[in-house]
Amino acid sequence: MKGLGGVNKVVVIGLGMTGLSVVHHLLRLSPSMDIKVIDTRDTPPGHDQLPDSVALCCGQWNMDWLLAADMIVASPGIALATPELQTAAHAGVEIVGDIELFARAVDKPVVAITGSNGKSTVTSLVGEMAKEAGINVGVGGNIGFAALDMLINQHDLYVLELSSFQLETTSSLALKAAVYLNLSEDHMDRYPGGLRQYSEAKMRIFHHAELAVFNRDDMATQPDVNTAMTSFGFDDRAYGLVRIEGREWLAVNGEALMPADEIALVGRHNVANSLAALALADAAGIDRAASCRALRRYQGLSHRCQLVVNHAGVRWVNDSKATNLASTQAALSGLSLDGTLHLLVGGDGKGADFSELAPILAEMNVRLYCYGRDREAFLPLAAQSVAVDTLVEATTLAAQQARAGDMIMLSPACASLDQFANFMARGDAFVALAEALKDRIGEMH
């Protein structure tokens, strides 16, 4: 079997969508393979979808299985520093992730995206550019479809969003092009070595890339690799911007492509995302005219600065995807507002320092509604701030305080797992609250 010669016994760590995709992929390669699954949850999602031939250990580790394996396929959510995995690694057992299995099986061009923020937007945007050009494209990885499931459809191009966790267990992914969008503090609870260790994991995306794309406005993203490189940024070099008769245009090496104000996505950070997507699209052979059409049409993903309700003069904006400080900073950058910003923040801060928000908030007419596990960390950041337990309480209070001309924005700067299954569930809850509370605007005035 391709890339798995000599592997007969595999233990998959973690079930759910990714774990199931690994099991099904391995069985497609070799129906007789000895596959076992370990999940430390008592009732893991997807347990009822496992084939009868696959043994499952729930609620605990099984070291006998791990040490007898030829290969361990670990979920991105399981840190390699986990003692049980360390023991297996020291015993010589190979540990990989689903993206490494994908790398060993894929036979069509792949481009990939990593970074602290903007990954999902750029990944989806490159996918839209490919579709606009009539290319049979698969878009997935850390967004949407599990990478291994996409192989079933035999796409002509694959676009992958890759997290640092996925890259930790990936060593042979050959890419037409890879981009590292930006670096900011995130997942510090996973990386005892701090920002340096976190960035080193992300840099692994460039190891086998034909073209490395970095952010020249964030030089921490520039790799030290012996490969072709290009960059994106807000000056007129490479993928950048030029000014023509007072109007800003997207450009490549000084050649103007389209006015920046015709991009459908909102916000300065999305101009940078569009330039990064263009660089990948060019490397993948996507027609530039098609790429520009996609830029004019694509309005973005749910939960990312998404206007969900505009009622009684108050705009409700769902930015639940802002799971770290830099995402919230990007959402606030250049925000123009006549009234007050009612900003909902909090959740699981993952060990981050939120003090960098203070100078941004000081320039705004803002009220903070701080909720969740790390709500206390946000209270000193603005003159007007209040702490509550839940998102429901925070949103209800904001609705009562808001009046025409204001904005109620969920941009939490934190992970959601203290109160929600994921950021999508958090965003969906906020949207439902917006619909339910929109007629209660200004009850406290």
Side-chain angles (χ1 to χ4, degrees), residues 102-123:
F102 175 90
R104 298 182 188 187
V106 69
D107 59 0
K108 293 293 174 62
V110 185
V111 297
I113 298 94
T114 196
S116 299
N117 297 293
K119 296 187 297 295
S120 297
T121 295
V122 174
T123 302

Side-chain angles (χ1 to χ4, degrees), residues 396-403 436-437 439-445:
T396 302
L397 189 56
Q400 292 170 346
Q401 295 276 359
R403 60 178 65 185
L437 295 169
D439 291 320
R440 294 176 59 182
I441 290 299
E443 283 187 352
M444 294 181 66
H445 290 291

Side-chain angles (χ1 to χ4, degrees), residues 358-374:
I360 300 173
L361 296 173
E363 300 296 320
M364 309 179 75
N365 182 9
V366 63
R367 288 178 178 168
L368 288 189
Y369 303 81
C370 315
Y371 75 92
R373 179 186 300 167
D374 290 322

Side-chain angles (χ1 to χ4, degrees), residues 63-120:
M63 287 309 303
D64 290 339
W65 285 8
L66 293 178
L67 294 174
D70 300 317
M71 173 185 284
I72 294 170
V73 185
S75 162
I78 307 298
L80 291 176
T82 302
E84 290 81 1
L85 291 185
Q86 286 288 298
T87 299
H90 290 149
V93 182
E94 182 182 19
I95 302 175
V96 302
D98 69 306
I99 301 300
E100 178 60 22
L101 295 182
F102 175 90
R104 298 182 188 187
V106 69
D107 59 0
K108 293 293 174 62
V110 185
V111 297
I113 298 94
T114 196
S116 299
N117 297 293
K119 296 187 297 295
S120 297

Side-chain angles (χ1 to χ4, degrees), residues 35-274:
I35 304 171
K36 295 179 170 65
V37 176
I38 297 173
D39 195 304
T40 56
R41 293 169 290 189
D42 290 331
T43 309
H47 68 94
D48 53 344
Q49 300 174 50
L50 279 177
D52 294 338
S53 62
V54 177
L56 173 63
C57 174
C58 295
Q60 61 184 347
W61 290 91
N62 188 318
M63 287 309 303
D64 290 339
W65 285 8
L66 293 178
L67 294 174
D70 300 317
M71 173 185 284
I72 294 170
V73 185
S75 162
I78 307 298
L80 291 176
T82 302
E84 290 81 1
L85 291 185
Q86 286 288 298
T87 299
H90 290 149
V93 182
E94 182 182 19
I95 302 175
V96 302
D98 69 306
I99 301 300
E100 178 60 22
L101 295 182
F102 175 90
R104 298 182 188 187
V106 69
D107 59 0
K108 293 293 174 62
V110 185
V111 297
I113 298 94
T114 196
S116 299
N117 297 293
K119 296 187 297 295
S120 297
T121 295
V122 174
T123 302
S124 300
L125 185 49
V126 176
E128 292 301 311
M129 291 171 168
K131 291 175 187 175
E132 187 70 34
I135 296 171
N136 175 13
V137 62
V139 179
N142 195 47
I143 177 179
F145 292 101
L148 290 169
D149 285 346
M150 292 195 297
L151 292 173
I152 302 170
N153 296 318
Q154 299 181 329
H155 297 288
D156 295 319
L157 172 69
Y158 294 90
V159 184
L160 297 183
E161 175 186 324
L162 298 179
S163 69
S164 59
F165 298 170
Q166 289 170 310
L167 288 164
E168 286 174 10
T169 53
T170 302
S171 57
S172 66
L173 181 61
L175 299 169
K176 291 294 293 182
V179 65
Y180 185 172
L181 295 172
N182 45 57
L183 174 65
S184 62
E185 196 175 75
D186 199 7
H187 303 298
M188 292 298 99
D189 50 348
R190 172 90 168 232
Y191 294 105
L195 206 59
R196 176 194 54 79
Q197 185 183 12
Y198 172 52
S199 186
E200 285 174 354
K202 289 193 171 295
M203 284 290 181
R204 294 173 65 90
I205 199 170
F206 293 126
H207 285 184
H208 302 285
E210 293 179 26
L211 177 68
V213 183
F214 66 92
N215 181 352
R216 61 179 176 274
D217 294 323
D218 186 352
M219 292 303 290
T221 64
Q222 182 174 2
D224 182 16
V225 291
N226 185 24
T227 190
M229 274 194 263
T230 191
S231 63
F232 66 96
F234 290 139
D235 59 25
D236 60 0
R237 292 178 292 148
Y239 290 83
L241 300 171
V242 296
R243 189 165 288 277
I244 301 175
E245 296 180 353
R247 196 178 187 190
E248 206 169 50
W249 288 62
L250 304 189
V252 181
N253 297 320
E255 177 189 347
L257 298 184
M258 63 175 282
D261 58 15
E262 292 183 4
I263 297 171
L265 292 168
V266 175
R268 188 68 172 170
H269 59 299
N270 278 322
V271 176
N273 288 337
S274 298

